[in-house]
Amino acid sequence: MEGKINKQLKKVLKKIVKEAHEPLAVADAKLGGVIKEKLNLSCIHSPLVNELMRGIRSQMDGLIPGVEPREMAAMCLGLAHSLSRYRLKFSADKVDTMIVQAISLLDDLDKELNNYIMRCREWYGWHFPELGKIISDNLTYCKCLQKVGDRKNYASATLSELLPEEVEAEVKAAAEISMGTEVSEEDICNILHLCTQVIEISEYRTQLYEYLQNRMMAIAPNVTVMVGELVGARLIAHAGSLLNLAKHAASTVQILGAEKALFRALKSRRDTPKYGLIYHASLVGQTSPKHKGKISRMLAAKTVLAIRYDAFGEDSSSAMGVENRAKLEARLRTLEDRGIRKISGTGKALAKAEKYEHKSEVKTYDPSGDSTLPTYSKKRKIEQVDKEDEVVEKKAKKAKVKIKVEEEEEVVEVEEDVVEVVEEQETSVKKKKKKDKKKHIKEEPLSEEEPCTSTAIASPEKKKKKKKKRVNED
């Protein structure tokens, strides 16, 4: 089974080595390699050898004479049982079944304990309802019931072993003025039986938890250091075994236990869950909500390394888990302190907090912002409207008068310019006449002079009219 040669096989093979001329048919390849190394005997392992072995097993009765069929059947059955026991005993897969069963039983015990305690509190609450508010611990509550029983016995009972003095005095005072109903002795007897069941189950639960801690530290010490006993055991139970869990990727271990949420998110195309069973680990629980996803991803990666080390490694120490947990705690501290550190500079120095200075300004309340309505009423008086119309008309008249005055001033300026031009032309004409008189001795008739003066004077008058038209158009 272990690929080793025992003493009987050695004796048989040494006799064969001297006479053997062909290779030896072997059912196990490992065993064939060991025989070849130690005895220098060539071995063969193939599917044909397996068929040959099956034929020998089926025809064992005929090959070995002198053995009855009943004895042969009993031998085969005994050999099969011993082989199966050996495999179960030394199989690495089957050792963690203890952890799977223990964590499943622990969860079932928690559910049953919660149901029993709830029934016990409601049942005894009809007789003494004030006791449930005074004693919050469930185990202490059941022990008090078991010791005292009826409400009337609290006055003479001593509960100093179970309760502090203040709480004991409060319980005795409440028992005297209780609003509960009277209950028969048979009812009290049944309630006390339920209390004994709760106490026994809770004691067995503590014993089972210690057993689970010891088994986890023996089988998976690094996983226990990383995520704790309960979370590690639940991961192993969810995967089926430690080897199956070691085959999972880190992303799968991170969301192990949240399969429903994952497939629902994939179907509805929403954000996938960030954590599953690993959410209950202490490292994830102590982080702030915005860093939980990041820490759970890093914790899953380190946990997978620890699982593979525990499943396939030969060393049983928890040094690797302690080292990885220290790294994760340091990383968690840097994430938490990132908001306090400086952005510029080295990035390691803490930011200096400025001194607080009280700068209070006395501000008065402004009531104008309370309403968005205008200050004056929408319906204005008729007098106000008339006054506004008069003001508008006066402004319009003043504007028209100004425009007219400006036009008149422009016309007067144009006329002055025209008169100056006419005068200049008249003086030039007179000078020409004097020159002509000097040159020509004979005087010309007046009939000839008049048309020239008339022509000279007529031109400025036409210019005047044209300029006036242009001014009016402007």
Side-chain angles (χ1 to χ4, degrees):
M1 288 297 295
E2 297 177 356
K4 295 178 181 178
I5 306 173
N6 55 9
K7 293 180 180 180
Q8 295 177 355
L9 186 60
K10 271 187 180 180
K11 288 180 182 179
V12 173
L13 291 175
K14 281 179 181 178
K15 293 177 183 179
I16 294 172
V17 168
K18 297 175 183 178
E19 301 175 358
H21 301 287
E22 291 184 2
L24 178 69
V26 183
D28 188 10
K30 286 184 179 179
L31 186 62
V34 173
I35 292 169
K36 191 174 182 179
E37 285 178 3
K38 291 187 176 181
L39 301 173
N40 199 12
L41 182 65
S42 61
C43 301
I44 186 170
H45 172 74
S46 65
L48 294 173
V49 174
N50 292 333
E51 287 292 324
L52 179 62
M53 294 286 182
R54 189 180 64 81
I56 292 168
R57 281 198 300 272
S58 62
Q59 302 295 327
M60 189 70 73
D61 298 337
L63 293 172
I64 301 174
V67 181
E68 294 182 3
R70 287 183 181 180
E71 293 180 0
M72 186 61 70
M75 286 168 60
C76 291
L77 186 62
L79 180 62
H81 282 179
S82 62
L83 285 173
S84 60
R85 281 197 207 97
Y86 185 84
R87 285 182 177 176
L88 285 172
K89 185 180 178 182
F90 292 100
S91 175
D93 299 338
K94 300 301 176 183
V95 176
D96 49 18
T97 53
M98 307 301 168
I99 293 170
V100 174
Q101 298 300 325
I103 191 64
S104 301
L105 181 59
L106 199 67
D107 292 338
D108 293 340
L109 285 177
D110 287 335
K111 289 178 184 177
E112 291 300 322
L113 268 174
N114 287 332
N115 289 330
Y116 281 12
I117 290 162
M118 182 186 68
R119 296 292 173 204
C120 185
R121 280 180 177 272
E122 288 182 0
W123 202 351
Y124 195 73
W126 288 99
H127 181 56
F128 190 10
E130 291 83 5
L131 186 65
K133 294 180 181 178
I134 297 169
I135 301 172
S136 58
D137 186 32
N138 295 322
L139 188 60
T140 311
Y141 183 87
C142 293
K143 286 181 178 178
C144 286
L145 291 190
Q146 194 181 30
K147 190 171 184 179
V148 179
D150 198 345
R151 176 178 72 198
K152 298 174 183 177
N153 301 331
Y154 278 97
S156 59
T158 55
L159 302 172
S160 58
E161 296 177 358
L162 302 172
L163 300 172
E165 293 180 0
E166 298 174 357
V167 179
E168 185 182 359
E170 191 177 355
V171 168
K172 288 180 178 180
E176 293 178 357
I177 56 168
S178 178
M179 298 293 291
T181 59
E182 294 296 330
V183 183
S184 63
E185 292 182 2
E186 188 179 357
D187 295 332
I188 293 289
C189 185
N190 285 315
I191 294 170
L192 293 178
H193 279 304
L194 182 59
C195 289
T196 54
Q197 290 289 321
V198 170
I199 293 166
E200 288 176 2
I201 291 172
S202 59
E203 288 175 356
Y204 175 62
R205 189 199 175 280
T206 54
Q207 181 186 350
L208 185 67
Y209 181 67
E210 290 176 1
Y211 165 76
L212 182 64
Q213 280 182 323
N214 296 331
R215 295 301 299 168
M216 280 296 294
M217 284 304 294
I219 292 169
N222 294 291
V223 179
T224 307
V225 170
M226 290 298 296
V227 294
E229 300 88 7
L230 292 175
V231 178
R234 285 196 177 97
L235 288 171
I236 292 169
H238 198 82
S241 68
L242 189 64
L243 283 176
N244 290 343
L245 186 63
K247 293 173 185 176
H248 289 318
S251 58
T252 309
V253 172
Q254 183 182 349
I255 57 169
L256 209 63
E259 287 83 4
K260 284 186 179 179
L262 174 66
F263 291 120
R264 193 191 309 123
L266 291 174
K267 191 175 181 181
S268 58
R269 294 182 180 179
R270 293 181 181 176
D271 293 337
T272 53
K274 295 179 181 178
Y275 24 66
L277 291 168
I278 209 167
Y279 179 79
H280 301 286
S282 60
L283 277 173
V284 180
Q286 67 190 14
T287 56
S288 58
K290 62 179 180 179
H291 297 311
K292 281 187 188 294
K294 196 174 285 186
I295 287 294
S296 63
R297 187 180 70 246
M298 293 188 286
L299 180 62
K302 297 294 183 185
T303 306
V304 166
L305 292 176
I307 291 163
R308 290 170 184 169
Y309 188 82
D310 290 333
F312 304 113
E314 296 177 358
D315 191 8
S316 60
S317 66
S318 60
M320 178 195 173
V322 173
E323 185 182 353
N324 287 334
R325 187 179 176 87
K327 287 180 181 177
L328 283 176
E329 287 174 352
R331 175 66 175 155
L332 176 60
R333 282 195 296 273
T334 56
L335 283 174
E336 294 292 340
D337 297 341
R338 183 174 289 177
I340 306 170
R341 297 191 183 277
K342 285 184 177 179
I343 297 169
S344 61
T346 58
K348 293 180 181 179
L350 290 171
K352 293 179 181 178
E354 295 179 356
K355 291 183 179 179
Y356 175 72
E357 294 180 2
H358 183 66
K359 298 177 181 178
S360 62
E361 297 178 1
V362 179
K363 293 183 179 180
T364 57
Y365 179 70
D366 186 12
S368 62
D370 291 344
S371 176
T372 56
L373 298 173
T375 55
Y376 59 85
S377 60
K378 289 184 178 179
K379 294 181 179 179
R380 292 181 294 175
K381 293 181 180 180
I382 298 168
E383 294 177 0
Q384 290 179 355
V385 175
D386 294 337
K387 286 178 182 179
E388 288 178 0
D389 293 339
E390 288 176 3
V391 171
V392 171
E393 288 177 1
K394 285 179 181 179
K395 287 180 180 180
K397 284 179 181 179
K398 284 180 181 179
K400 286 180 181 179
V401 169
K402 283 181 181 179
I403 291 165
K404 286 180 181 179
V405 170
E406 287 176 357
E407 288 179 355
E408 289 176 358
E409 287 177 357
E410 287 178 357
V411 171
V412 171
E413 288 177 359
V414 170
E415 286 178 353
E416 288 177 356
D417 293 337
V418 172
V419 170
E420 288 177 359
V421 170
V422 171
E423 288 176 356
E424 286 178 0
Q425 286 181 355
E426 285 177 354
T427 52
S428 62
V429 168
K430 285 179 182 178
K431 287 178 182 180
K432 282 182 180 180
K433 281 182 181 180
K434 287 179 181 180
K435 288 179 181 180
D436 292 336
K437 283 179 181 180
K438 287 179 181 179
K439 287 180 181 179
H440 302 285
I441 298 167
K442 293 180 181 179
E443 291 181 359
E444 293 180 2
L446 293 170
S447 59
E448 292 178 358
E449 289 177 2
E450 289 175 3
C452 57
T453 55
S454 63
T455 53
I457 295 164
S459 61
E461 288 177 0
K462 289 180 182 179
K463 286 179 181 179
K464 273 185 185 181
K465 290 178 182 179
K466 286 180 182 179
K467 285 182 179 180
K468 282 182 181 181
K469 286 181 183 179
R470 285 178 184 174
V471 170
N472 291 330
E473 286 173 2
D474 294 333

